[in-house]
Each structure stands twice: as structure tokens, then as C-alpha cells.
């Protein structure tokens, strides 16, 4: 762990030229005392790091102390930097490792590519935290210890014991699974596994504890994760208490509906420009919630229970805000 931190410290100094102990501590997520000890260790190991006193002082490396990663052209270097900006690694507990790796890549690039590739990468943004409507994309929190243990079992090919809550209102139970792979979708991490030979998919945020077992997992030597995910996604959309509804939609709200629906089964444009869509939801509550969020942007056409549920909600809101309502007594 300390060796990785020492390498990151050197690369930070290579990239920024000079940094104070406070700035280094912030970047490395350690105390300033730890930074000072690391600086002493680097000096003792022969790394040419020196201190500059004064208001704008800090620590720096002697010019020329670097290695180069040869064989990369500009577009290859740019591809690495852009790939490093994707948020998926956070779901697998690899965020800090990715940041450290990208720092090493930038530092090791040939000088002719380093500045231009880094500058170009600043102009490409993938999956920002909020969209144009200021809707925040919130990544699910998974304890590092849990995701590290899950990841270890997946990569080592060992059985995995997890303490898992199938739903927020259900008591978690222990179960032993054969892990196949990890998938991230919109910053949500999933474990693909089998249990007693049957396919299972577990959301990482619902894994409360995990333990990699020494026993080898029962799984094929090779796996096509993309195909496995598509097959499980198809089965998920076809099972459970799902409902299919008929909706008339403002085209400007298409992305909102598509983002929450399980599947869009049919879609066609009407003469007035609106879309007539057949959409599936996980259950009745999901359907009511999703269409309520769209307000006047959508109209539920069928089934009748959905129209009734939305009407009751709207009537309750109208009654609360009617001119004759008594605000003071609430």
C-alpha cells in the first residue's frame, strides 16, 4: 500500500511540478505527517525530491526524473485518458486505483503526446454527474471492503458467501454463490452468479457483507458477459408482477420514460406529433410512479386502474391546493 502511495506521490510531483505538503496530503488522502515521512523515504531511496521554502514553496523533483511509455500514438493516448474518465470503475471499488493508473499513464507518455493528449481529454466528458435538466445521477454506495471481497472471488474463481437483502424491506440472508462476473449499468454494480446451478443477479448495493471462500467456483472457463447480461435482462423484463400500459407521450419526454421503464414494446407517431407507446413496468406501483413524474407530458390510456390511480392522486393534490383549503390548520 505504501509503495503505491510513494509512486503516486512521485507522479503527482512530475505532473504538477511543485506541490505543498497540504496539497499532496489532500491528493493522496493521508495526513501531512505521512507525506513528510514519505518524502524522507523517497530521498533515502535516491529519488531526487527537494523542498523549496517560502510562501509559494513546496516539494519538487529535479528536472529529467521520469520514464517514458513508448509505442503510443496520439489517438491511443487520448483513448486511454478518455477511458479513465468513465465512472464505472467506482462501482467495482477501483476508483482510486484508476486515478493512480491514469496518473502513471500521463506521466509516462512521450513528451510530444503528453500535453496535447491531456488537453484534448479535457474537452471530452463522459457520463457527467448531472444532465441538462440538472437531474443528478447518483451512484450507489458499496463499502470498499465488500466490493473488494466480491471482486477477489470473481477474479480468483472462488465461491462467494454474501449477506444479501433481496429488497429494501426484506431481511438479509446469507447465501453461497458461484460468481461469474461484474457488470456496471448507469453507475449501478451487479454481480452475475449462479446458485445451485441457476442463474442469479445480485445488486452490489444490497450486499451487506461478503466473504471469498477457498473452494473453487463451479463455472465455465470462459464467459461472454455481454451476452449473459442481455439474456438475464430479457428474462427480468418478462417475469415477476410486471404490467404493460398504453401511453400517449410528448416526444420531448421520451428519454425520461425510457430511463425508468423496463421495456418499450411498441411505439408509433400520431398525427398531432405525440407518441403512442406500449410500455412495460416492474409492477403497478412502478407504473403509477413513472407516469406521475411525467405530469402533463404523458397520458395513460390503458388500463383503467392506471387512469384511476393517477386521477386519485391528481384529485388529492387539487384538493390540497384549492382556494378554500385551510392552510393554518395544517
Amino acid at each position: 500500500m505504501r509503495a503505491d502511495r510513494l509512486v503516486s506521490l512521485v507522479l503527482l510531483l512530475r505532473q504538477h511540478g511543485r506541490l505543498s505538503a497540504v496539497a499532496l496530503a489532500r491528493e493522496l488522502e493521508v495526513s501531512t505527517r505521512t507525506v513528510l515521512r514519505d518524502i524522507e523515504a523517497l530521498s533515502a531511496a535516491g529519488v531526487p525530491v527537494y523542498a523549496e521554502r517560502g510562501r509559494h514553496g513546496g516539494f519538487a523533483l529535479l528536472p529529467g526524473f521520469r520514464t517514458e511509455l513508448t509505442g503510443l500514438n496520439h489517438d491511443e493516448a487520448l483513448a486511454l485518458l478518455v477511458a479513465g474518465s468513465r465512472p464505472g470503475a467506482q462501482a467495482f471499488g477501483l476508483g482510486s486505483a484508476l486515478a493512480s493508473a491514469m496518473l502513471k499513464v500521463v506521466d509516462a507518455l512521450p513528451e510530444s503526446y503528453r500535453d496535447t493528449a491531456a488537453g484534448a481529454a479535457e474537452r471530452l466528458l463522459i457520463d457527467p454527474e448531472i444532465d441538462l435538466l440538472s437531474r443528478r445521477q447518483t451512484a450507489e454506495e458499496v463499502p470498499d471492503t465488500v466490493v473488494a471481497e466480491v471482486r477477489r472471488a470473481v477474479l480468483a474463481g472462488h465461491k462467494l458467501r454474501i449477506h444479501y437483502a433481496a429488497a429494501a424491506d426484506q431481511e438479509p440472508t446469507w447465501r453461497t454463490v458461484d460468481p461469474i462476473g461484474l457488470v456496471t449499468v448507469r453507475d449501478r454494480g451487479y454481480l452475475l452468479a449462479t446458485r445451485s446451478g441457476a442463474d442469479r443477479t445480485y445488486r452490489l448495493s444490497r450486499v451487506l457483507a461478503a466473504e471469498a471462500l477457498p473452494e473453487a467456483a463451479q463455472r465455465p472457463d470462459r464467459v461472454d458477459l455481454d451476452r449473459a447480461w442481455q439474456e438475464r435482462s430479457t428474462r427480468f423484463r418478462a417475469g415477476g408482477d410486471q404490467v404493460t400500459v398504453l401511453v400517449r407521450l410528448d416526444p420531448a419526454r421520451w428519454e425520461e420514460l425510457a430511463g425508468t421503464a423496463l421495456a418499450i414494446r411498441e411505439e408509433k407517431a400520431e398525427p398531432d406529433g405525440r407518441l403512442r407507446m406500449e410500455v412495460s413496468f416492474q409492477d403497478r406501483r412502478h407504473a403509477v410512479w413513472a407516469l406521475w413524474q411525467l405530469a402533463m407530458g404523458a397520458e395513460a390510456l390503458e388500463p383503467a386502474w392506471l387512469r384511476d390511480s393517477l386521477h386519485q392522486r391528481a384529485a388529492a393534490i387539487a384538493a390540497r391546493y384549492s382556494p378554500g383549503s385551510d392552510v393554518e390548520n395544517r
Side-chain angles (χ1 to χ4, degrees), residues 269-284:
E270 295 194 328
D272 61 0
R274 290 187 293 177
L275 299 174
R276 190 180 183 91
M277 303 172 64
E278 188 176 299
V279 187
S280 293
F281 294 98
Q282 188 169 345
D283 50 32
R284 289 191 174 198

Side-chain angles (χ1 to χ4, degrees), residues 4-72:
D4 291 339
R5 191 175 69 243
L6 292 176
V7 172
S8 295
L9 194 156
V10 171
L11 295 176
L12 283 169
L13 295 179
R14 281 288 310 142
Q15 187 170 350
H16 295 282
R18 182 189 302 110
L19 286 172
S20 67
V22 173
L24 286 168
R26 183 171 58 251
E27 291 287 342
L28 298 172
E29 298 181 349
V30 296
S31 66
T32 54
R33 290 185 61 186
T34 298
V35 168
L36 295 177
R37 286 197 299 266
D38 288 348
I39 293 292
E40 290 180 1
L42 288 173
S43 297
V47 177
V49 58
Y50 65 96
E52 292 187 357
R53 308 293 180 184
R55 180 179 178 184
H56 300 291
F59 295 100
L61 294 168
L62 290 177
F65 182 78
R66 69 186 313 273
T67 59
E68 282 197 351
L69 179 64
T70 58
L72 287 179

Side-chain angles (χ1 to χ4, degrees), residues 25-168:
R26 183 171 58 251
E27 291 287 342
L28 298 172
E29 298 181 349
V30 296
S31 66
T32 54
R33 290 185 61 186
T34 298
V35 168
L36 295 177
R37 286 197 299 266
D38 288 348
I39 293 292
E40 290 180 1
L42 288 173
S43 297
V47 177
V49 58
Y50 65 96
E52 292 187 357
R53 308 293 180 184
R55 180 179 178 184
H56 300 291
F59 295 100
L61 294 168
L62 290 177
F65 182 78
R66 69 186 313 273
T67 59
E68 282 197 351
L69 179 64
T70 58
L72 287 179
N73 60 37
H74 177 272
D75 286 348
E76 290 170 339
L78 178 60
L80 282 175
L81 295 176
V82 171
S85 71
R86 295 186 64 85
Q90 300 290 344
F92 300 149
L94 295 171
S96 59
L98 177 61
S100 175
M102 297 316 299
L103 191 63
K104 295 174 183 178
V105 168
V106 171
D107 183 77
L109 287 174
E111 188 172 357
S112 58
Y113 295 146
R114 196 185 325 136
D115 294 337
T116 55
E122 291 177 354
R123 299 183 181 275
L124 303 174
L125 177 63
I126 300 175
D127 293 336
E129 188 176 354
I130 59 174
D131 62 15
L132 285 176
L133 298 177
S134 296
R135 294 171 301 190
R136 186 171 297 276
Q137 308 296 318
T138 56
E140 294 184 331
E141 295 292 334
V142 184
D144 290 343
T145 54
V146 170
V147 73
E149 197 71 3
V150 172
R151 189 176 68 243
R152 186 163 73 89
V154 168
L155 299 182
H158 290 175
K159 286 185 177 293
L160 178 68
R161 188 166 178 260
I162 58 175
H163 197 214
Y164 188 76

